[in-house]
Amino acid sequence: MMWKRILFFVILLDIFTQSSAETIGEKILRKIGKTCGQPKINNVMRNLTLNPGDTARFRCSVDMKCMVSYIQWYHEMNNGSMTLLRTGATQGTPYRYTVRNVDPNDSGFYSCVAGNILGETVSSAYLQVNGTNSHFSDVKMFFLAVLISLGIFSDHIFFVKLRILPQL
């Protein structure tokens, strides 16, 4: 934590010793953008297929070197509705989310969102509980896995939402 304070004071010292037409807020934002950027998530969350009663564990490895303002967890259900599961004020570690005793209602996308003043980075995984009628076929899951493995979303904001046409 000491290094963060030192970095903060170095940035402030640099900002106040420069003269320009920028406001102090603009200088701070420019300096933070140069040193860090948007938060970085170091891992790719993995899709899970579980049986009812099992435990789902999701991990989100956020690089805290870049002033991360918040880490939030969301669940997007198969019906398209989204629920905020965890915020920074929630008790426990913000880097993990656990669903105990899963049932069919727990199926859907689980997303970890790390944000700061420069933007957000998202990592998502799909939980399929066996015995449920999923809206995702094997082909759809294959394409989702290919997109994630290619790193198309690596440095960008992404919520993977696939709207699928009815089966023919």
Side-chain angles (χ1 to χ4, degrees):
M1 288 299 201
M2 185 61 144
W3 66 268
K4 286 185 180 180
R5 288 183 183 165
I6 293 170
L7 176 63
F8 177 74
F9 288 117
V10 168
I11 290 172
L12 285 180
L13 179 64
D14 186 47
I15 289 169
F16 287 114
T17 57
Q18 295 177 3
S19 61
S20 73
E22 291 181 305
T23 66
I24 292 175
E26 291 169 332
K27 289 179 185 180
I28 291 172
L29 185 59
R30 182 178 42 79
K31 195 65 163 179
I32 291 172
K34 283 183 182 177
T35 59
C36 219
Q38 292 179 329
K40 182 179 178 188
I41 297 175
N42 295 322
N43 68 306
V44 176
M45 292 189 352
R46 301 290 177 208
N47 297 328
L48 300 173
T49 301
L50 301 173
N51 293 316
D54 288 348
T55 298
R57 290 179 179 86
F58 299 99
R59 185 177 65 88
C60 186
S61 177
V62 178
D63 184 350
M64 295 302 286
K65 286 185 261 181
C66 292
M67 302 173 193
V68 177
S69 302
Y70 59 89
I71 300 173
Q72 298 173 332
W73 286 86
Y74 291 89
H75 176 214
E76 182 181 355
M77 292 161 264
N78 289 332
N79 65 9
S81 64
M82 188 173 290
T83 304
L84 176 63
L85 301 171
R86 173 185 289 271
T87 67
T90 306
Q91 184 177 0
T93 177
Y95 309 107
R96 298 182 192 281
Y97 189 77
T98 302
V99 184
R100 290 179 173 78
N101 196 24
V102 298
D103 67 35
N105 293 326
D106 296 317
S107 292
F109 279 104
Y110 287 80
S111 300
C112 167
V113 181
N116 64 17
I117 60 172
L118 298 175
E120 293 181 332
T121 303
V122 181
S123 183
S124 297
Y126 189 80
L127 171 62
Q128 172 63 45
V129 178
N130 287 331
T132 63
N133 292 328
S134 172
H135 295 289
F136 281 73
S137 69
D138 291 338
V139 173
K140 297 167 199 166
M141 289 305 290
F142 170 77
F143 283 115
L144 174 62
V146 168
L147 289 174
I148 291 172
S149 67
L150 290 175
I152 291 173
F153 306 117
S154 61
D155 294 320
H156 304 286
I157 299 173
F158 72 97
F159 271 108
V160 179
K161 286 188 175 183
L162 299 177
R163 298 295 179 222
I164 309 303
L165 295 174
Q167 301 284 333
L168 298 177

